[in-house]
Amino acid sequence: MTKKIKIFSLLLLVVMVMAACSDNNASGDSDADSGSDSGGDSKAANQLLKIGNDQEPAGLDPHKVPAHSSIRIYEKVYDSLLTFDENMELQPELAKEWEQPDDTTYIFTLREGVTFHNGDKMTAEDVKYSYERILDEETASIAKSYFDKVESIEVMSPTKIKFNLSETYAPFLSYVASTNAAIVSEKVVEENGDLMQVAVGTGPFKFEEWKPDNYVELSKNEDYYKEGQPKLDGIRYITMKDESARLAAIRTGEVHLTTLSSQSIPLAEKNDKLDVKGYQSTEYSYVGFNVDKEPFDNKKVRQAISLAVNRQEVKDIVWKGDAILSGPIPESMGKWAIDVSEEELYQHDIEKAKQLLVEAGYEDGFETTISTASTYPDMIDTAQLLQQQFEKIGIKADIKQLEWGQYIDTWKSGDHEMLVGRNSSGSDPDRSISFFFSTDGSANVWGFSNDKIDSLSEKGRTTTDKEKRREIYNEAQKKLIETSPNLFLVSPKKFFIVRNNVENYTPSANEPENFNETIIKQ
């Protein structure tokens, strides 16, 4: 009898365990927290951070591609000479130190023993090649205008390099810290023609594989110069353009981290296995005009449209209130931003807008097209809301939704009439003004040219006194609002939704995706 009881008890225990496992799997919240993966439950699988990515990358070349969907990947593969910390203070990266003997000379001393992911040693020659590639017209680098004051670059030794500038240039070090000034390997560029489909840097993660419309995978750089970093064994960016798919994936644990719009945040907050991490971004939403095309070559038309736009509605409807009014320099840039709330062209005034259209010769309004990206709900919602607002002053706008690659091509070529999008202010006010709106700015895709903006841009770049620079950029912002090549709308709050077994990760405006210390708790 005792033996039978023991056998019965053992069978009962097995049944209970199986039932418990069955209940866990049927709960609708199956846990990727366990670290299981199609490749088994190895350490690599356990420490593979899976991210639901809202967009396919547009290429991997840090010198050419400005799309956020690309930057969030290649910024982990490449390093620059300098970087910023969470307080926006310059810190050494590939350069362990730097000095400025005079106003136009910068000398960087490189870290020794740093290697590219292919095993090649990184030297001052690579730094020289990278900057010359950026400055080469044929590269068509997005960062070219950052360094147009660089007159010559001298390799002083394998670990020391000198930059000679043509004149005093206040934002130089800030741009050296840009991801778009990443140090690349000449050998890799020559072997591949460009870096759009390959990525070999010195950063904390190595590029492994890109399966289009599926995922991009990075692996840990075991030889990273920062000892003990990264903690993760890899990152997989899984393409999930549909927000409902990302919401389902983060709920069930298919991914560890993703982004959601303001509309979906309440749904995520109800799940006790998820953390919502928000921060005020350095981005602003905008509608831009091709000022080479009628009627947008007329300033009064652009001003009329600004008065027709109800920015409060954009904030409340598109972003559910999770945004603040913005000019060309968003509020997250601190003292560099102006208070735009009292600016005349930010006041919603339909009658004055109609009067300006009459003065411009468009008393009956006109027809136009608003182009935007089909895979970003906020851009579509903004375009649709603007379409309704424009109707009140007689402007009939069709909306053209473009796939991401086509949208980027349209942005670059200026082949648009009105374009809805988002920009980032970067780390220096020069980017917000010169980069986007000076006549020769690398990202001036609007055909816009204004002598006053060019003059203020030049003054801001060559003035080192911070208070005087602030006054210059205040004036430049007001001039941009008055001339309206873009209408600056709002600066949104951004959200990451994170499984609560992901530790040591806190997004910030400057470093939204620093995973060097991140681990997945088992």
Side-chain angles (χ1 to χ4, degrees):
M1 288 294 293
T2 303
K3 186 175 182 181
K4 287 182 180 180
I5 290 172
K6 287 182 177 178
I7 292 172
F8 177 77
S9 299
L10 182 60
L11 287 172
L12 181 61
L13 179 61
V14 170
V15 170
M16 291 173 64
V17 170
M18 291 177 67
C21 291
S22 176
D23 287 345
N24 284 341
N25 289 336
S27 69
D29 210 5
S30 64
D31 229 341
D33 306 351
S34 66
S36 63
D37 189 48
S38 57
D41 57 356
S42 64
K43 181 176 184 291
N46 289 340
Q47 291 300 316
L48 177 67
L49 184 71
K50 298 174 188 176
I51 298 175
N53 195 2
D54 58 9
Q55 188 56 261
E56 187 84 355
L60 299 176
D61 195 325
H63 297 162
K64 292 185 176 186
V65 186
H68 171 68
S69 59
S70 298
I71 293 173
R72 69 186 308 193
I73 294 170
Y74 66 60
E75 71 178 357
K76 297 166 184 63
V77 176
Y78 292 99
D79 289 322
S80 301
L81 291 178
L82 304 178
T83 189
F84 284 100
D85 63 18
E86 64 275 10
N87 299 314
M88 296 299 290
E89 297 292 335
L90 283 167
Q91 299 294 332
E93 196 161 75
L94 289 180
K96 65 179 182 180
E97 59 187 24
W98 66 95
E99 57 183 303
Q100 188 179 358
D102 55 56
D103 287 346
T104 60
T105 306
Y106 295 83
I107 299 173
F108 298 90
T109 302
L110 307 182
R111 298 181 187 276
E112 297 182 15
V114 176
T115 59
F116 287 105
H117 298 153
N118 61 3
D120 292 345
K121 190 175 181 180
M122 188 278 299
T123 71
E125 291 290 350
D126 297 299
V127 176
K128 186 174 190 290
Y129 170 77
S130 297
Y131 277 86
E132 288 180 344
R133 182 175 187 256
I134 291 169
L135 290 166
D136 188 341
E137 293 279 358
E138 293 187 8
T139 304
S141 173
I142 194 68
K144 183 180 183 301
S145 64
Y146 288 176
F147 302 109
D148 56 10
K149 302 297 185 188
V150 175
E151 199 166 59
S152 64
I153 305 171
E154 301 175 35
V155 172
M156 304 172 71
S157 76
T159 58
K160 189 164 287 192
I161 190 164
K162 180 195 291 186
F163 288 78
N164 300 300
L165 278 54
S166 59
E167 58 183 312
T168 302
Y169 183 44
F172 178 69
L173 290 177
S174 293
Y175 286 147
V176 167
S178 166
T179 304
N180 297 124
I183 304 307
V184 304
S185 162
E186 179 177 8
K187 176 182 175 181
V188 174
V189 176
E190 295 301 319
E191 287 176 349
N192 294 277
D194 61 30
L195 299 172
M196 296 300 280
Q197 302 293 321
V198 299
V200 178
T202 60
F205 292 94
K206 300 188 293 185
F207 172 69
E208 289 292 340
E209 184 179 22
W210 178 2
K211 281 194 172 185
D213 297 316
N214 195 335
Y215 65 83
V216 176
E217 186 147 333
L218 309 178
S219 66
K220 177 178 183 175
N221 177 9
E222 299 282 359
D223 298 318
Y224 193 46
Y225 73 88
K226 291 184 179 179
E227 188 174 351
Q229 294 186 10
K231 309 293 187 186
L232 294 168
D233 289 306
I235 304 174
R236 179 179 294 170
Y237 286 90
I238 305 170
T239 302
M240 296 179 171
K241 297 179 182 180
D242 184 71
E243 179 159 303
S244 62
R246 298 198 303 278
L247 179 58
I250 193 70
R251 279 171 158 177
T252 62
E254 180 185 346
V255 299
H256 299 102
L257 181 150
T258 194
T259 54
L260 295 175
S261 66
S262 297
Q263 289 88 333
S264 297
I265 296 305
L267 298 175
E269 288 176 332
K270 293 177 181 178
N271 191 313
D272 61 5
K273 291 192 175 182
L274 303 180
D275 294 327
V276 177
K277 297 178 182 283
Y279 65 96
Q280 184 58 49
S281 74
T282 59
E283 291 185 357
Y284 60 83
S285 64
Y286 69 85
V287 54
F289 305 107
N290 185 333
V291 302
D292 285 334
K293 293 183 178 181
E294 294 182 356
F296 306 112
D297 58 344
N298 190 317
K299 181 174 70 172
K300 288 187 176 181
V301 170
R302 304 194 300 269
Q303 292 174 331
I305 295 173
S306 185
L307 290 168
V309 172
N310 187 329
R311 290 170 172 82
Q312 186 64 40
E313 284 188 353
V314 174
K315 172 184 174 179
D316 293 340
I317 295 174
V318 176
W319 300 100
K320 298 301 180 186
D322 290 321
I324 52 179
L325 284 182
S326 183
I329 300 178
E331 189 176 295
S332 55
M333 286 285 285
K335 65 179 182 180
W336 300 113
I338 62 171
D339 179 5
V340 295
S341 61
E342 300 301 319
E343 292 296 316
E344 182 180 1
L345 290 175
Y346 274 65
Q347 311 312 310
H348 183 52
D349 192 333
I350 295 297
E351 292 308 312
K352 188 168 184 178
K354 288 179 178 179
Q355 181 58 40
L356 283 172
L357 284 184
V358 170
E359 294 174 12
Y362 295 94
E363 59 273 10
D364 297 323
F366 55 86
E367 296 182 359
T368 188
T369 299
I370 303 173
S371 299
T372 194
S374 63
T375 47
Y376 282 107
D378 65 275
M379 294 188 191
I380 297 171
D381 292 345
T382 299
Q384 291 172 343
L385 182 58
L386 293 177
Q387 181 187 48
Q388 296 169 22
Q389 294 178 355
F390 295 165
E391 286 180 358
K392 296 177 181 179
I393 59 171
I395 297 175
K396 297 179 180 179
D398 290 328
I399 296 175
K400 183 188 290 186
Q401 295 188 31
L402 306 172
E403 288 299 319
W404 188 236
Q406 188 181 4
Y407 177 85
I408 294 296
D409 289 342
T410 299
W411 179 86
K412 284 182 177 179
S413 66
D415 186 21
H416 54 78
E417 295 178 6
M418 302 176 71
L419 188 74
V420 165
R422 280 185 270 117
N423 278 332
S424 172
S425 63
S427 56
D428 190 277
D430 178 69
R431 174 181 162 91
S432 298
I433 307 301
S434 301
F435 183 62
F436 290 112
F437 300 108
S438 66
T439 301
D440 297 324
S442 295
N444 183 352
V445 297
W446 319 112
F448 178 71
S449 181
N450 181 277
D451 289 343
K452 185 64 174 177
I453 290 296
D454 287 347
S455 174
L456 290 169
S457 294
E458 189 64 18
K459 285 181 182 178
R461 299 171 110 195
T462 55
T463 299
T464 55
D465 182 277
K466 288 186 177 180
E467 185 56 33
K468 289 181 179 178
R469 281 194 91 206
R470 190 180 70 82
E471 293 172 2
I472 291 165
Y473 288 116
N474 283 357
E475 185 179 354
Q477 289 173 83
K478 289 177 179 293
K479 186 64 177 178
L480 279 175
I481 291 170
E482 186 261 325
T483 52
S484 299
N486 281 189
L487 304 187
F488 312 99
L489 304 176
V490 298
S491 176
K493 192 173 182 179
K494 304 295 286 292
F495 298 94
F496 282 96
I497 316 303
V498 187
R499 298 288 294 184
N500 59 17
N501 67 326
V502 175
E503 297 186 347
N504 302 335
Y505 167 65
T506 302
S508 65
N510 182 49
E511 290 190 308
E513 293 188 35
N514 185 335
F515 300 123
N516 286 11
E517 294 284 353
T518 301
I519 60 170
I520 303 169
K521 186 178 179 181
Q522 304 306 316

